[in-house]
Amino acid sequence: MSESNPTTQTLIQRSTSRKLPDFKQSIKLKYVKLGYHYLITHGMYLFLSPLVVLIAAQLSTFSLQDLYVLWEHLQFNLISVIFCSTLLVFLATLYFLTRPQPVYLVNFSCYKPEDARKCTRQVFMERSGLIGSFTQENLEFQRKILERSGLGENTYLPEAVLRVPPNPCMAEARKEAEAVMFGALDELFAKTNVKPKDIGILIVNCSLFNPTPSLSAMVINHYKLRGNIVSYNLGGMGCSAGLISIDLAKQLLQVHPNSYAVVISMENITLNWYFGNERSMLISNCLFRMGGAAILLSNRRADRWRSKYQLVHTVRTHKGADDKCFACVTQREDSNGKIGVSLSKDLMAVAGDALKTNITTLGPLVLPISEQLLFFGTLVGRKLFKMKLKPYIPDFKLAFEHFCIHAGGRAVLDELEKNLQLSNWHMEPSRMTLHRFGNTSSSSLWYELAYTEAKGRVRRGDRIWQIAFGSGFKCNSAVWRAMRTVSPAKEKNPWMDEIHLFPVDIPNVSAI
């Protein structure tokens, strides 16, 4: 083979080099931005430092005679000193009496069903075919959805759905609810050493299963909770109901001092499996799986030392006034009278609009002033001066170390990853939760946080952003701050026995 012409090689090298980025310029821009953020964030300290030095230098020149003169001056103004001291004490007392009670997350637990409830994707397709109610075209449709869903081979379904033929009835639905709620609560009480009688507030959320007596009453009866417990049962609020429950618990803890609050987040599959052939309703069969979580909150200052997190913010956004938003996730009957949950084609657009409103409210509470100035400057330039600027998307990675995004489906996670400019590392808890446990509705956020803990990523002072979407249409956020470093060696959660296997590679299409 003949050697290449040196002139040709030079041209190829020059052509290739043109395609590469200008690393020097990129590095310079990177450090310019870092310097900008540092300057703005620490601007107050940089401004006050010379002032403090000047004051210290001035005080160092004071002699004993100067101090004596100052004392004499204060003696002649005794009334002013007493008035100012009284005002200072009054304002300090008013502040401590009116400031919100801190809300601590002592611990939480996620329910892991027994291995008999595991449902591989192959088993899912086999059982769906044996039911006999789905057409061949819709069985193939479910197969395609499942292959692209991001779900793995170890998700769980209740016994009544896996049975051939299925047995969806009230007794089986109660059986599933009891297994999830009591399983999560037993582990929570064991972790925290809190007695059931100590619980003052109980909130249970389950969107589609609302029996009488209620789920909260089932918990009270099973654990023989005290008679004056403040209990709530939330229904019909979708996958974001878990954060609504957290917000409700926070508000109740502001008016019930020295109390424990338990939040149970779950969904019930047994009575909500769809046996019809309307495709907008079949998607939920492919995504939703069995699961639940129990969370212990406290406003006792004595619990600060042992709590994992402190609740910093909750932000709720409701788009129900808009008809399109209201109807994008609806439980209804199909043309044959079979009940299911219908997902509209507008779902992604509606979710994006709700997210935009939610983060616009949350941003000023959590973003550093440097990001807020960039966002405001871009907005002014576009709106006031009609400049052709791209909308500035704030860098939420400067506000949070960890992200727990509701594992509603692969498409939702892809869109949020792109819009919030997150990395694969930030999205890993959500994607792995969807792969391992499926969409467990409002409890998915807690499986994601458990994954983060099992990986040993939570350090003291870290900030966690939980964000979820729900029917209605709602987008809700909760912000937590880690009170201590969480050691995986001391943890017990659904991931611990297999965390070494994750993360796993999830192809765009995984054939069944």
Side-chain angles (χ1 to χ4, degrees):
M1 184 180 292
S2 60
E3 293 183 1
S4 301
N5 190 334
T7 306
T8 305
Q9 290 180 349
T10 305
L11 290 172
I12 292 173
Q13 290 173 357
R14 288 177 181 175
S15 175
T16 305
S17 65
R18 289 194 192 101
K19 297 179 182 179
L20 296 174
D22 188 344
F23 290 110
K24 290 183 179 180
Q25 185 177 1
S26 299
I27 291 172
K28 287 178 182 177
L29 288 175
K30 172 186 174 182
Y31 284 110
V32 166
K33 189 171 182 180
L34 285 174
Y36 163 76
H37 284 301
Y38 184 85
L39 179 64
I40 297 298
T41 304
H42 299 86
M44 185 61 70
Y45 301 106
L46 296 174
F47 174 76
L48 290 178
S49 295
L51 188 61
V52 171
V53 171
L54 288 174
I55 293 173
Q58 184 65 31
L59 290 175
S60 65
T61 63
F62 270 45
S63 63
L64 291 176
Q65 181 64 29
D66 294 329
L67 293 175
Y68 178 77
V69 171
L70 179 62
W71 173 250
E72 289 288 332
H73 179 72
L74 289 177
Q75 281 184 324
F76 286 112
N77 292 274
L78 188 59
I79 296 176
S80 299
V81 172
I82 293 174
F83 175 77
C84 291
S85 301
T86 305
L87 182 62
L88 185 63
V89 171
F90 172 76
L91 292 175
T93 305
L94 186 66
Y95 169 75
F96 283 107
L97 289 177
T98 58
R99 69 173 181 171
Q101 288 276 352
V103 175
Y104 305 110
L105 191 159
V106 180
N107 215 324
F108 68 97
S109 63
C110 299
Y111 176 66
K112 187 175 185 178
E114 56 190 6
D115 289 343
R117 303 280 76 78
K118 279 187 179 180
C119 177
T120 65
R121 296 181 303 153
Q122 186 65 41
V123 168
F124 176 91
M125 293 307 304
E126 288 175 359
R127 300 297 164 87
S128 296
L130 291 173
I131 291 172
S133 63
F134 302 119
T135 64
Q136 191 61 41
E137 292 78 10
N138 281 330
L139 284 173
E140 188 60 29
F141 172 75
Q142 291 183 78
R143 180 188 297 275
K144 289 181 179 179
I145 293 293
L146 207 56
E147 288 177 341
R148 292 162 174 79
S149 65
L151 270 69
E153 302 293 349
N154 294 306
T155 59
Y156 302 93
L157 283 173
E159 181 182 358
V161 174
L162 289 175
R163 187 180 299 170
V164 181
N167 182 31
C169 62
M170 180 61 75
E172 288 293 331
R174 283 183 175 274
K175 182 179 177 182
E176 179 193 349
E178 289 172 354
V180 173
M181 293 192 302
F182 301 160
L185 279 173
D186 287 345
E187 183 178 314
L188 182 67
F189 289 139
K191 280 182 175 182
T192 59
N193 293 319
V194 171
K195 298 177 182 178
K197 288 285 187 182
D198 294 332
I199 305 302
I201 299 167
L202 173 66
I203 303 170
V204 181
N205 69 266
C206 183
S207 187
L208 297 175
F209 181 55
N210 295 286
T212 300
S214 67
L215 296 173
S216 59
M218 290 166 60
V219 173
I220 292 170
N221 176 260
H222 181 80
Y223 290 98
K224 309 304 177 188
L225 302 184
R226 64 198 201 197
N228 65 342
I229 190 169
V230 179
S231 67
Y232 291 85
N233 199 96
L234 306 183
M237 306 193 80
C239 299
S240 68
L243 296 186
I244 295 174
S245 298
I246 294 294
D247 181 65
L248 175 59
K250 179 188 76 172
Q251 295 183 47
L252 291 170
L253 287 170
Q254 299 304 314
V255 294
H256 294 275
N258 204 35
S259 296
Y260 283 119
V262 165
V263 171
I264 302 173
S265 292
M266 58 170 289
E267 193 51 83
N268 191 280
I269 306 295
T270 299
L271 282 181
N272 298 288
W273 200 253
Y274 177 61
F275 294 98
N277 281 284
E278 191 166 320
R279 292 192 173 184
S280 65
M281 297 183 178
L282 284 170
I283 297 174
S284 60
N285 283 10
C286 302
L287 298 178
F288 281 89
R289 293 296 184 266
M290 187 178 179
I295 305 97
L296 179 65
L297 303 174
S298 171
N299 60 8
R300 302 184 180 195
R301 297 199 178 273
D303 286 320
R304 179 184 176 90
W305 66 271
R306 69 179 186 130
S307 296
K308 283 186 173 180
Y309 307 97
Q310 181 175 348
L311 183 59
V312 182
H313 301 292
T314 52
V315 175
R316 294 169 56 177
T317 300
H318 205 305
K319 291 288 185 177
D322 184 282
D323 291 340
K324 185 173 71 172
C325 298
F326 175 77
C328 70
V329 180
T330 309
Q331 186 182 27
R332 61 178 178 84
E333 294 176 334
D334 65 12
S335 57
N336 296 316
K338 294 181 178 178
I339 298 176
V341 177
S342 174
L343 304 180
S344 166
K345 293 180 180 179
D346 299 322
L347 179 59
M348 293 305 299
V350 167
D353 183 54
L355 173 66
K356 180 181 177 181
T357 304
N358 189 267
I359 65 176
T360 301
T361 307
L362 179 68
L365 300 175
V366 298
L367 287 170
I369 190 65
S370 55
E371 282 295 291
Q372 295 187 48
L373 287 175
L374 285 173
F375 177 80
F376 181 73
T378 306
L379 185 65
V380 169
R382 293 177 67 241
K383 299 295 184 182
L384 190 61
F385 299 103
K386 306 300 180 183
M387 299 171 66
K388 294 182 179 179
L389 299 172
K390 291 183 179 180
Y392 183 75
I393 300 174
D395 187 359
F396 280 91
K397 298 187 292 295
L398 295 173
F400 305 108
E401 283 73 32
H402 309 287
F403 296 79
C404 296
I405 301 168
H406 169 53
R410 188 172 198 157
V412 175
L413 296 180
D414 288 344
E415 283 299 311
L416 282 169
E417 178 180 6
K418 181 176 69 175
N419 291 332
L420 296 177
Q421 301 176 352
L422 301 179
S423 67
N424 291 334
W425 187 87
H426 292 112
M427 296 299 298
E428 186 181 310
S430 299
R431 295 195 185 280
M432 294 305 107
T433 295
L434 182 64
H435 177 80
R436 176 62 181 84
F437 293 97
N439 181 350
T440 60
S441 189
S442 57
S443 66
S444 68
L445 299 173
W446 301 104
Y447 287 91
E448 293 163 18
L449 186 54
Y451 179 91
T452 305
E453 291 183 352
K455 280 292 184 181
R457 296 177 179 178
V458 179
R459 297 287 184 266
R460 182 179 179 182
D462 282 1
R463 297 154 298 178
I464 299 98
W465 181 16
Q466 292 181 320
I467 184 166
F469 304 90
S471 57
F473 189 84
K474 298 178 286 293
C475 177
N476 300 316
S477 293
V479 178
W480 305 88
R481 179 181 290 109
M483 304 294 292
R484 56 183 171 88
T485 297
V486 179
S487 172
K490 300 178 181 179
E491 286 302 305
K492 180 182 179 183
N493 70 46
W495 297 95
M496 295 312 302
D497 296 337
E498 51 192 282
I499 192 62
H500 61 283
L501 302 174
F502 294 92
V504 297
D505 181 57
I506 305 175
N508 291 331
V509 179
S510 178
I512 300 176

